[in-house]
Amino acid sequence: MGVKERKALEKQIRRDQILDAARTLLFSSGLESISISRISKQSELGVGTIYFYYKNKEEIFVALQKEGVTLLYSIIFQISKKDIDHGEKLIRIAKAYYKFSQEQKHYFDIINYFLSSPIVFFEPDLKNQIDMSGRKILVLIKDIVDEGIQKGVFNEKDPKKFSIMFWGTLHGLIHFKKLEKTILEKESHEKLFDYSVQKLIHSIK
Amino acid sequence: MGVKERKALEKQIRRDQILDAARTLLFSSGLESISISRISKQSELGVGTIYFYYKNKEEIFVALQKEGVTLLYSIIFQISKKDIDHGEKLIRIAKAYYKFSQEQKHYFDIINYFLSSPIVFFEPDLKNQIDMSGRKILVLIKDIVDEGIQKGVFNEKDPKKFSIMFWGTLHGLIHFKKLEKTILEKESHEKLFDYSVQKLIHSIK
Amino acid sequence: MGVKERKALEKQIRRDQILDAARTLLFSSGLESISISRISKQSELGVGTIYFYYKNKEEIFVALQKEGVTLLYSIIFQISKKDIDHGEKLIRIAKAYYKFSQEQKHYFDIINYFLSSPIVFFEPDLKNQIDMSGRKILVLIKDIVDEGIQKGVFNEKDPKKFSIMFWGTLHGLIHFKKLEKTILEKESHEKLFDYSVQKLIHSIK
Amino acid sequence: MGVKERKALEKQIRRDQILDAARTLLFSSGLESISISRISKQSELGVGTIYFYYKNKEEIFVALQKEGVTLLYSIIFQISKKDIDHGEKLIRIAKAYYKFSQEQKHYFDIINYFLSSPIVFFEPDLKNQIDMSGRKILVLIKDIVDEGIQKGVFNEKDPKKFSIMFWGTLHGLIHFKKLEKTILEKESHEKLFDYSVQKLIHSIK
DNA sequence: CATGAATGAGCATTCATTCAT
DNA sequence: TATGAATGAATGCTCATTCAT
């Protein structure tokens, strides 16, 4: 291994080290607990060092978000490769996202952070990163819908729009989890979720 | 008017005064600009006074959120009373919510704040407040669906679930506005929104 | 003494306390050593407290500058009231400014800070403060020139311009103190200063 | 070319490369924006390399200052060689310096930085550098005055002192530009400048 | 020669909240 | 009731410089 490669590797290791620290914070105390100085302490690196490896806090957030999205992608990818009914696939994907939002709450939070915050904008530089990670999930869903249509199981003129709508519905409903004890009253949030998924799938059958 | 009533009235006046200040800040500089000391300056009241009338910052946020929800409710209420087709009503409501999220961005932000933030939970005390304001919107939609069913225009076994799903879909899709330039690519976000609404309504026809 | 007066007095005392700390820093370690946290430590007050009494660091700087200008003013005022020849007055004022720049170096520095820094701009709010303090010195000089003209000692069509020029020359030359060992070579800086003052006064005789 | 010369040449090339970067920063974002790491990025050299070619940041500043002074020198040199009246020459030089302070603001800033900053002292090593660049301007002026005296146009016993005074006056008055809106009131700063130059020249006629 | 990783003190400023008056 | 003084931890970020490679 040449000097260059080793350097690059070491650099990656440090970046990972920082990310590890940030992730540890995220999972131990939540999104709000992530600050550069905390990461610095957690990683046992100087503050300046953090900034040497990441341009700013946002970049670290993006990295964490990418992790979350990648994890979610892999989960959905598994399902998409299963040899099951297309409708069933969508159902399982929905369930998986629901589960993800509960069990990988912190990853969900950070994904949501970029989607919900009134102030955050994606810097152009990060556009590609988001594209690479986030879009792939949508493509996965669209592929299933496309295939379903081909196989004659689904009937939908605009599979792309449907896929986004599908995902948007899941996303919006997960937010409503917070309302479980109030607005939703006796409605079980999970049943509501299932109902919606059914409805969606039925709408393209 | 007894002493008690007068006192209560005065108390309400002060609370309103504080809320006015907070709203001014919200609309002039956004959610993030609201701080107790800023409210104190804006309202020309001492910080201590703010804390006398509101337990903490969150309570003020809740009050602002209620305002936003009330405004949104009134908009939707107008539509619901119109003498138009039930499907059309739902379409108009959806459009109105979309418009609200753009034109009353700050109110939308604060509503969203409670729905999206990973840390905020509704304290039991606030449950009733949320019920009073937020739930009514859902009821409005449910009534339309119910009526549509009665009239034989719609066909849906669980109108309540559908209403929540309807709202959740709108909500989730509005969040995706941020992705317009990246993931959605050439998809027009608004058209996507319209498509989804059509789909939803069609699914109960 | 009413509550109001006492409060106002106490407030002034605190402001002074903070200013004392800032001045101590200025005189012990120079302009560059003044930072809010240092002032906080020196004054044994919390950082937040500093900000309660002063809007920002600049405001403290302005206060210090005012002190310096006031001191300088009083020195010049003394001279201006002396019963001596008008030319002699100007000479003494010049000498006094020279002395001030050496013996009250730190005050000179902070006055100079606002005059020389490429980035500092006077906020409109501070305009009046500057007016009140700085302009008075110029007026003092102008009064002497005016009087000299009236008495027939001086002959000058535009006493205001001359006064500013007079002051500007002194100011510029003091800056050249730094060049004593290099550009000025064997020229004594002080003699150069005296020469210039003579020249200026002679020019209106 | 021997090895030594080549080495020296290469060294100079690197130094220039670094200076180019620093100048770019100076002119794009001002004096305050110059930092070693910024220069490093701009020049595409490592920070360590910068330190190899320049002892510290100050040395780079000195180099930039020399550039500025050299530019100013060349401007003044042009004027000094013109076949015009000696008084006119001084007027044009003054005007040129004024223009320089406005149009080459960043160069003026960095020259001023060394003259005004309370902390910077010229290290003995830099003495020669300053001599070479700064002093020449003064000599230029002195030559004009000398010549004027010889020709009988001027009458002045100490041309060197006068030249420094001349320059000091210009310098000090340029600083007062900042006071234009406050202390100077309705006085036009430029007219004040012109007035002062006239006065100075007249004083040696 | 050249690199660039590492440092950590330092910066100005904001914040929600408390509490004695 | 109403005040507003006081807090100090916390924020993201920059900096000049060093030094092992």
Side-chain angles (χ1 to χ4, degrees):
Chain A
M1 183 169 31
V3 173
K4 239 180 181 172
E5 281 93 352
R6 187 165 40 79
K7 285 262 175 147
L9 184 66
E10 273 170 12
K11 192 147 185 170
Q12 191 51 50
I13 286 170
R14 272 281 192 261
R15 279 181 68 94
D16 287 347
Q17 186 184 350
I18 290 165
L19 214 53
D20 288 346
R23 196 185 316 104
T24 300
L25 289 170
L26 175 65
F27 278 84
S28 65
S29 332
L31 188 59
E32 318 276 325
S33 80
I34 305 179
S35 80
I36 296 293
S37 88
R38 291 256 256 276
I39 294 173
S40 149
K41 265 159 212 151
Q42 179 69 37
S43 63
E44 297 186 316
L45 290 169
V47 191
T49 311
I50 312 288
Y51 279 94
F52 184 78
Y53 289 97
Y54 290 92
K55 212 180 83 228
N56 51 33
K57 204 180 123 171
E58 191 124 299
E59 215 173 87
I60 299 176
F61 271 36
V62 167
L64 284 177
Q65 193 220 27
K66 260 174 78 177
E67 274 192 11
V69 172
T70 301
L71 171 59
L72 182 56
Y73 174 80
S74 75
I75 294 169
I76 293 175
F77 180 77
Q78 294 300 327
I79 298 170
S80 78
K81 291 307 155 213
K82 282 217 163 72
D83 189 19
I84 50 175
D85 175 56
H86 295 87
E88 181 63 19
K89 271 187 191 169
L90 292 183
I91 290 171
R92 293 219 193 160
I93 285 172
K95 282 227 179 271
Y97 190 36
Y98 189 81
K99 200 177 155 198
F100 178 84
S101 77
Q102 307 298 118
E103 296 181 4
Q104 305 286 342
K105 179 188 182 305
H106 295 299
Y107 272 139
F108 179 81
D109 283 348
I110 204 160
I111 292 172
N112 197 38
Y113 168 78
F114 287 92
L115 234 35
S116 303
S117 163
I119 42 165
V120 181
F121 288 99
F122 297 107
E123 282 188 47
D125 322 6
L126 301 178
K127 183 188 180 303
N128 290 328
Q129 302 202 30
I130 305 290
D131 274 0
M132 300 256 293
S133 50
R135 243 179 78 195
K136 281 164 65 185
I137 292 180
L138 230 39
V139 170
L140 235 40
I141 295 173
K142 185 170 162 289
D143 284 349
I144 297 170
V145 177
D146 278 340
E147 231 185 83
I149 293 169
Q150 255 183 347
K151 294 263 163 85
V153 188
F154 295 151
N155 178 24
E156 166 61 39
K157 273 191 286 185
D158 198 332
K160 185 170 182 197
K161 277 209 184 67
F162 177 80
S163 304
I164 302 172
M165 178 201 178
F166 183 76
W167 198 251
T169 302
L170 305 187
H171 193 78
L173 284 170
I174 286 170
H175 274 187
F176 283 9
K177 175 82 178 169
K178 278 228 175 120
L179 307 175
E180 206 171 16
K181 298 263 172 63
T182 56
I183 294 182
L184 302 195
E185 276 182 315
K186 288 149 294 175
E187 285 299 336
S188 148
H189 180 252
E190 196 163 1
K191 275 185 186 160
L192 167 67
F193 191 84
D194 291 343
Y195 160 90
S196 303
V197 175
Q198 290 291 351
K199 199 89 193 168
L200 277 169
I201 293 170
H202 192 260
S203 80
I204 56 166
K205 272 203 165 150
Chain B
M1 183 167 36
V3 173
K4 239 179 180 172
E5 281 92 352
R6 187 164 41 77
K7 289 261 174 151
L9 183 65
E10 274 169 11
K11 190 149 187 168
Q12 192 50 48
I13 287 171
R14 274 280 194 260
R15 281 179 66 95
D16 286 348
Q17 186 182 351
I18 291 164
L19 214 52
D20 288 347
R23 195 186 318 104
T24 300
L25 288 171
L26 175 66
F27 276 83
S28 64
S29 334
L31 189 58
E32 318 275 324
S33 80
I34 304 179
S35 78
I36 296 292
S37 89
R38 291 249 255 274
I39 294 173
S40 149
K41 264 160 215 150
Q42 181 71 36
S43 64
E44 297 184 319
L45 290 169
V47 275
T49 313
I50 313 283
Y51 277 95
F52 184 80
Y53 288 99
Y54 289 92
K55 210 181 80 219
N56 51 33
K57 209 178 112 170
E58 194 121 296
E59 221 174 80
I60 299 176
F61 273 32
V62 167
L64 284 176
Q65 193 221 28
K66 260 176 76 179
E67 276 192 11
V69 172
T70 302
L71 170 60
L72 183 56
Y73 173 81
S74 77
I75 293 169
I76 292 175
F77 180 78
Q78 296 298 327
I79 298 170
S80 77
K81 290 307 154 213
K82 283 218 161 72
D83 188 20
I84 50 175
D85 176 55
H86 295 86
E88 180 64 20
K89 271 186 192 171
L90 292 184
I91 288 171
R92 295 221 190 157
I93 285 171
K95 282 224 176 276
Y97 190 37
Y98 190 81
K99 199 177 157 199
F100 177 85
S101 77
Q102 307 295 117
E103 295 179 5
Q104 304 286 340
K105 182 188 181 305
H106 295 299
Y107 271 140
F108 180 81
D109 283 348
I110 204 159
I111 292 172
N112 198 36
Y113 169 78
F114 286 93
L115 234 35
S116 301
S117 164
I119 42 163
V120 182
F121 287 99
F122 296 108
E123 287 187 44
D125 325 5
L126 302 178
K127 183 185 180 308
N128 289 328
Q129 300 200 31
I130 304 293
D131 274 359
M132 300 257 294
S133 50
R135 242 180 79 196
K136 283 164 66 185
I137 293 180
L138 232 37
V139 169
L140 234 40
I141 296 173
K142 186 170 160 285
D143 284 350
I144 296 170
V145 177
D146 278 340
E147 232 185 83
I149 294 168
Q150 256 183 346
K151 295 262 164 83
V153 187
F154 294 152
N155 179 26
E156 167 61 39
K157 273 191 286 184
D158 198 331
K160 185 170 182 196
K161 278 210 182 67
F162 176 80
S163 304
I164 302 173
M165 178 200 177
F166 182 77
W167 199 250
T169 302
L170 306 187
H171 192 78
L173 284 170
I174 285 170
H175 274 187
F176 282 12
K177 176 83 179 166
K178 276 226 175 124
L179 307 176
E180 208 170 16
K181 297 263 170 67
T182 56
I183 295 183
L184 302 195
E185 276 182 317
K186 288 148 294 178
E187 287 296 338
S188 147
H189 180 252
E190 196 162 3
K191 275 185 186 160
L192 169 67
F193 191 83
D194 291 343
Y195 161 89
S196 303
V197 174
Q198 291 290 352
K199 199 90 192 167
L200 278 169
I201 292 169
H202 191 260
S203 79
I204 55 165
K205 271 204 168 148
Chain C
M1 185 169 27
V3 173
K4 241 180 180 171
E5 280 94 350
R6 187 164 42 77
K7 286 260 177 150
L9 183 66
E10 274 171 11
K11 193 147 186 171
Q12 192 51 50
I13 286 170
R14 272 280 193 261
R15 279 181 69 95
D16 287 347
Q17 185 184 352
I18 290 165
L19 214 54
D20 287 347
R23 196 186 315 104
T24 300
L25 289 171
L26 175 66
F27 278 84
S28 64
S29 332
L31 188 58
E32 318 276 325
S33 81
I34 304 180
S35 80
I36 296 294
S37 87
R38 290 256 257 276
I39 294 174
S40 149
K41 265 159 212 150
Q42 180 70 36
S43 64
E44 296 185 318
L45 290 169
V47 193
T49 312
I50 312 289
Y51 278 94
F52 185 78
Y53 289 96
Y54 290 91
K55 211 179 85 230
N56 51 34
K57 203 179 123 171
E58 190 124 299
E59 217 173 86
I60 298 176
F61 271 35
V62 167
L64 284 176
Q65 193 221 28
K66 259 173 79 177
E67 274 191 11
V69 173
T70 301
L71 171 59
L72 182 56
Y73 174 80
S74 76
I75 293 170
I76 293 175
F77 180 77
Q78 295 299 327
I79 298 170
S80 77
K81 290 307 154 214
K82 282 218 161 73
D83 188 19
I84 50 175
D85 174 57
H86 293 88
E88 181 63 21
K89 271 187 190 170
L90 291 183
I91 288 171
R92 293 218 191 160
I93 284 172
K95 280 225 177 275
Y97 190 36
Y98 189 80
K99 199 176 156 199
F100 178 84
S101 77
Q102 306 299 116
E103 296 180 5
Q104 305 288 340
K105 180 188 181 307
H106 295 296
Y107 272 140
F108 179 81
D109 284 346
I110 204 159
I111 292 173
N112 198 37
Y113 169 78
F114 286 92
L115 232 36
S116 301
S117 163
I119 42 164
V120 180
F121 289 99
F122 298 107
E123 282 188 46
D125 322 7
L126 302 178
K127 183 188 180 303
N128 290 328
Q129 302 201 30
I130 304 290
D131 274 1
M132 299 256 295
S133 50
R135 242 179 80 195
K136 281 165 66 184
I137 292 179
L138 230 39
V139 170
L140 235 40
I141 296 173
K142 186 171 161 287
D143 284 350
I144 296 170
V145 177
D146 278 340
E147 233 184 83
I149 294 169
Q150 256 183 345
K151 295 262 164 85
V153 188
F154 294 151
N155 178 26
E156 166 61 39
K157 272 192 287 183
D158 198 330
K160 186 170 181 197
K161 277 208 183 68
F162 176 80
S163 305
I164 302 174
M165 178 200 179
F166 182 77
W167 198 251
T169 301
L170 306 187
H171 194 77
L173 284 170
I174 285 170
H175 273 186
F176 282 11
K177 174 84 179 169
K178 278 228 175 119
L179 308 175
E180 206 170 16
K181 297 262 172 64
T182 57
I183 295 182
L184 302 195
E185 275 181 316
K186 290 149 293 176
E187 286 295 339
S188 148
H189 180 252
E190 196 162 3
K191 276 185 185 160
L192 167 67
F193 191 84
D194 291 343
Y195 160 91
S196 304
V197 175
Q198 291 291 350
K199 198 91 192 168
L200 277 169
I201 293 170
H202 192 259
S203 80
I204 55 166
K205 273 205 162 145
Chain D
M1 184 169 35
V3 173
K4 239 179 180 173
E5 281 92 351
R6 187 165 40 78
K7 288 261 175 152
L9 183 66
E10 273 170 12
K11 191 149 186 167
Q12 192 50 49
I13 287 171
R14 275 278 195 262
R15 281 178 67 95
D16 286 347
Q17 186 182 353
I18 291 164
L19 215 52
D20 287 347
R23 195 186 319 103
T24 301
L25 289 171
L26 175 65
F27 278 83
S28 65
S29 334
L31 190 57
E32 318 276 324
S33 81
I34 304 179
S35 78
I36 296 292
S37 89
R38 291 247 255 273
I39 293 173
S40 148
K41 263 160 216 149
Q42 180 71 36
S43 63
E44 295 182 323
L45 290 168
V47 276
T49 313
I50 313 283
Y51 276 94
F52 184 80
Y53 289 98
Y54 289 92
K55 211 182 80 219
N56 51 32
K57 209 177 112 170
E58 194 122 297
E59 222 174 78
I60 299 176
F61 273 33
V62 168
L64 284 176
Q65 193 222 27
K66 260 175 76 179
E67 277 193 9
V69 173
T70 302
L71 170 59
L72 183 55
Y73 173 80
S74 76
I75 293 169
I76 293 175
F77 180 78
Q78 296 299 327
I79 297 170
S80 78
K81 291 308 154 213
K82 283 217 162 74
D83 188 21
I84 49 174
D85 175 55
H86 294 87
E88 180 62 20
K89 271 187 191 170
L90 292 183
I91 289 171
R92 292 218 192 160
I93 285 172
K95 282 228 176 272
Y97 189 37
Y98 190 82
K99 200 177 157 200
F100 178 83
S101 77
Q102 307 296 116
E103 295 181 6
Q104 303 287 340
K105 181 188 181 307
H106 294 298
Y107 271 139
F108 179 81
D109 284 347
I110 205 159
I111 292 173
N112 198 37
Y113 169 78
F114 286 92
L115 236 32
S116 301
S117 163
I119 42 164
V120 182
F121 287 99
F122 295 108
E123 287 188 43
D125 324 5
L126 303 178
K127 183 185 181 307
N128 290 328
Q129 301 200 32
I130 303 292
D131 274 0
M132 301 256 293
S133 50
R135 240 180 81 195
K136 283 164 65 186
I137 292 180
L138 231 38
V139 169
L140 234 40
I141 296 172
K142 186 170 160 287
D143 284 349
I144 297 171
V145 178
D146 279 339
E147 232 185 85
I149 293 169
Q150 256 182 345
K151 296 262 164 85
V153 188
F154 294 152
N155 178 26
E156 166 61 39
K157 273 191 286 183
D158 197 331
K160 185 170 183 197
K161 279 209 182 67
F162 176 80
S163 305
I164 302 174
M165 179 200 178
F166 183 76
W167 198 251
T169 301
L170 306 186
H171 193 77
L173 284 171
I174 285 170
H175 274 187
F176 283 10
K177 176 83 180 167
K178 276 225 174 128
L179 307 176
E180 207 170 15
K181 297 264 171 65
T182 56
I183 294 181
L184 302 195
E185 274 182 317
K186 290 149 292 177
E187 286 298 337
S188 147
H189 180 252
E190 196 163 1
K191 275 185 186 160
L192 169 66
F193 191 84
D194 291 341
Y195 161 90
S196 304
V197 174
Q198 291 291 350
K199 199 91 193 168
L200 277 169
I201 293 170
H202 192 260
S203 79
I204 55 166
K205 272 201 164 150

